[in-house]
mmCIF file of all heavy atoms in Angstrom:
data_model
loop_
_atom_site.group_PDB
_atom_site.id
_atom_site.type_symbol
_atom_site.label_atom_id
_atom_site.label_comp_id
_atom_site.label_asym_id
_atom_site.label_seq_id
_atom_site.Cartn_x
_atom_site.Cartn_y
_atom_site.Cartn_z
ATOM 1 N N SER T 180 4.399 15.591 24.111
ATOM 2 C CA SER T 180 4.283 14.815 25.353
ATOM 3 C C SER T 180 3.412 15.531 26.294
ATOM 4 O O SER T 180 3.214 14.981 27.317
ATOM 5 C CB SER T 180 5.522 14.421 25.864
ATOM 6 O OG SER T 180 6.292 15.524 26.362
ATOM 7 N N ALA T 181 3.097 16.753 26.076
ATOM 8 C CA ALA T 181 2.224 17.672 26.892
ATOM 9 C C ALA T 181 0.936 16.977 27.219
ATOM 10 O O ALA T 181 0.425 16.286 26.330
ATOM 11 C CB ALA T 181 2.081 19.027 26.489
ATOM 12 N N LYS T 182 0.215 17.198 28.422
ATOM 13 C CA LYS T 182 -1.015 16.576 28.640
ATOM 14 C C LYS T 182 -1.983 17.570 28.191
ATOM 15 O O LYS T 182 -2.756 18.174 28.914
ATOM 16 C CB LYS T 182 -1.045 16.366 30.238
ATOM 17 C CG LYS T 182 -2.178 15.394 30.601
ATOM 18 C CD LYS T 182 -2.048 15.084 32.123
ATOM 19 C CE LYS T 182 -3.162 14.079 32.469
ATOM 20 N NZ LYS T 182 -2.980 13.777 33.943
ATOM 21 N N ASN T 183 -2.093 17.585 26.890
ATOM 22 C CA ASN T 183 -3.019 18.504 26.155
ATOM 23 C C ASN T 183 -3.792 17.737 25.023
ATOM 24 O O ASN T 183 -3.211 16.689 24.558
ATOM 25 C CB ASN T 183 -2.235 19.625 25.487
ATOM 26 C CG ASN T 183 -1.592 20.579 26.534
ATOM 27 O OD1 ASN T 183 -2.183 20.825 27.585
ATOM 28 N ND2 ASN T 183 -0.621 21.095 26.073
ATOM 29 N N GLU T 184 -4.777 18.299 24.511
ATOM 30 C CA GLU T 184 -5.260 17.816 23.289
ATOM 31 C C GLU T 184 -4.311 17.931 22.111
ATOM 32 O O GLU T 184 -3.451 18.951 22.126
ATOM 33 C CB GLU T 184 -6.622 18.578 22.987
ATOM 34 C CG GLU T 184 -7.971 17.839 22.933
ATOM 35 C CD GLU T 184 -9.038 18.777 22.661
ATOM 36 O OE1 GLU T 184 -9.289 18.927 21.404
ATOM 37 O OE2 GLU T 184 -9.725 19.308 23.610
ATOM 38 N N GLY T 185 -4.433 17.092 21.132
ATOM 39 C CA GLY T 185 -3.388 17.217 20.108
ATOM 40 C C GLY T 185 -2.026 16.945 20.526
ATOM 41 O O GLY T 185 -1.123 17.332 19.821
ATOM 42 N N ALA T 186 -1.980 16.115 21.602
ATOM 43 C CA ALA T 186 -0.587 15.779 22.084
ATOM 44 C C ALA T 186 -0.754 14.561 23.003
ATOM 45 O O ALA T 186 -1.471 13.535 22.529
ATOM 46 C CB ALA T 186 0.055 16.939 22.959
ATOM 47 N N ASN T 187 -0.165 14.541 24.210
ATOM 48 C CA ASN T 187 -0.285 13.367 25.049
ATOM 49 C C ASN T 187 0.166 12.076 24.617
ATOM 50 O O ASN T 187 -0.365 10.968 24.715
ATOM 51 C CB ASN T 187 -1.846 13.286 25.409
ATOM 52 C CG ASN T 187 -2.000 12.775 26.948
ATOM 53 O OD1 ASN T 187 -1.067 12.906 27.699
ATOM 54 N ND2 ASN T 187 -3.208 12.423 27.310
ATOM 55 N N ALA T 188 1.272 12.237 23.804
ATOM 56 C CA ALA T 188 1.845 10.969 23.270
ATOM 57 C C ALA T 188 3.045 10.507 24.126
ATOM 58 O O ALA T 188 3.546 11.205 25.111
ATOM 59 C CB ALA T 188 2.405 11.250 21.848
ATOM 60 N N THR T 189 3.487 9.234 23.883
ATOM 61 C CA THR T 189 4.671 8.766 24.506
ATOM 62 C C THR T 189 5.780 8.982 23.588
ATOM 63 O O THR T 189 5.883 8.487 22.501
ATOM 64 C CB THR T 189 4.537 7.216 24.797
ATOM 65 O OG1 THR T 189 3.289 7.118 25.616
ATOM 66 C CG2 THR T 189 5.730 6.631 25.473
ATOM 67 N N VAL T 190 6.743 9.789 24.056
ATOM 68 C CA VAL T 190 7.736 10.282 23.188
ATOM 69 C C VAL T 190 9.242 9.776 23.507
ATOM 70 O O VAL T 190 9.519 9.709 24.648
ATOM 71 C CB VAL T 190 7.888 11.837 23.193
ATOM 72 C CG1 VAL T 190 9.018 12.337 22.330
ATOM 73 C CG2 VAL T 190 6.592 12.563 22.768
ATOM 74 N N THR T 191 9.815 9.283 22.471
ATOM 75 C CA THR T 191 11.272 8.806 22.610
ATOM 76 C C THR T 191 12.060 9.824 21.701
ATOM 77 O O THR T 191 11.834 9.983 20.589
ATOM 78 C CB THR T 191 11.349 7.287 22.127
ATOM 79 O OG1 THR T 191 10.427 6.448 23.053
ATOM 80 C CG2 THR T 191 12.748 6.839 22.435
ATOM 81 N N LEU T 192 13.174 10.187 22.368
ATOM 82 C CA LEU T 192 13.992 11.137 21.533
ATOM 83 C C LEU T 192 15.312 10.310 21.285
ATOM 84 O O LEU T 192 15.990 9.808 22.207
ATOM 85 C CB LEU T 192 14.333 12.278 22.433
ATOM 86 C CG LEU T 192 14.912 13.565 21.775
ATOM 87 C CD1 LEU T 192 13.977 14.055 20.804
ATOM 88 C CD2 LEU T 192 15.110 14.546 23.000
ATOM 89 N N VAL T 193 15.831 10.196 19.975
ATOM 90 C CA VAL T 193 16.963 9.508 19.693
ATOM 91 C C VAL T 193 17.979 10.390 19.008
ATOM 92 O O VAL T 193 17.602 11.540 18.418
ATOM 93 C CB VAL T 193 16.588 8.176 18.820
ATOM 94 C CG1 VAL T 193 15.798 7.239 19.642
ATOM 95 C CG2 VAL T 193 16.032 8.538 17.510
ATOM 96 N N HIS T 194 19.274 10.049 18.990
ATOM 97 C CA HIS T 194 20.258 10.883 18.669
ATOM 98 C C HIS T 194 21.591 9.993 18.210
ATOM 99 O O HIS T 194 21.368 8.774 18.236
ATOM 100 C CB HIS T 194 20.617 11.917 19.663
ATOM 101 C CG HIS T 194 20.614 11.220 20.959
ATOM 102 N ND1 HIS T 194 21.663 10.496 21.514
ATOM 103 C CD2 HIS T 194 19.680 11.349 22.054
ATOM 104 C CE1 HIS T 194 21.377 9.992 22.685
ATOM 105 N NE2 HIS T 194 20.132 10.583 23.029
ATOM 106 N N THR T 195 22.687 10.645 18.097
ATOM 107 C CA THR T 195 23.733 9.856 17.559
ATOM 108 C C THR T 195 24.351 8.890 18.742
ATOM 109 O O THR T 195 25.028 7.961 18.501
ATOM 110 C CB THR T 195 25.031 10.700 17.107
ATOM 111 O OG1 THR T 195 25.353 11.610 18.137
ATOM 112 C CG2 THR T 195 24.686 11.449 15.821
ATOM 113 N N GLY T 196 23.955 9.167 19.898
ATOM 114 C CA GLY T 196 24.328 8.384 21.070
ATOM 115 C C GLY T 196 23.401 7.023 21.160
ATOM 116 O O GLY T 196 23.652 6.167 22.118
ATOM 117 N N THR T 197 22.386 6.972 20.401
ATOM 118 C CA THR T 197 21.453 5.911 20.572
ATOM 119 C C THR T 197 21.896 4.613 19.892
ATOM 120 O O THR T 197 22.402 4.681 18.698
ATOM 121 C CB THR T 197 20.151 6.249 19.796
ATOM 122 O OG1 THR T 197 19.692 7.487 20.366
ATOM 123 C CG2 THR T 197 19.112 5.089 19.808
ATOM 124 N N SER T 198 21.855 3.533 20.575
ATOM 125 C CA SER T 198 22.343 2.256 20.063
ATOM 126 C C SER T 198 21.119 1.542 19.419
ATOM 127 O O SER T 198 20.044 1.652 19.854
ATOM 128 C CB SER T 198 23.062 1.335 21.100
ATOM 129 O OG SER T 198 22.171 1.138 22.096
#
Side-chain angles (χ1 to χ4, degrees):
S180 63
K182 199 170 179 176
N183 292 331
E184 246 181 80
N187 217 14
T189 303
V190 175
T191 305
L192 199 58
V193 297
H194 42 73
T195 58
T197 301
S198 56

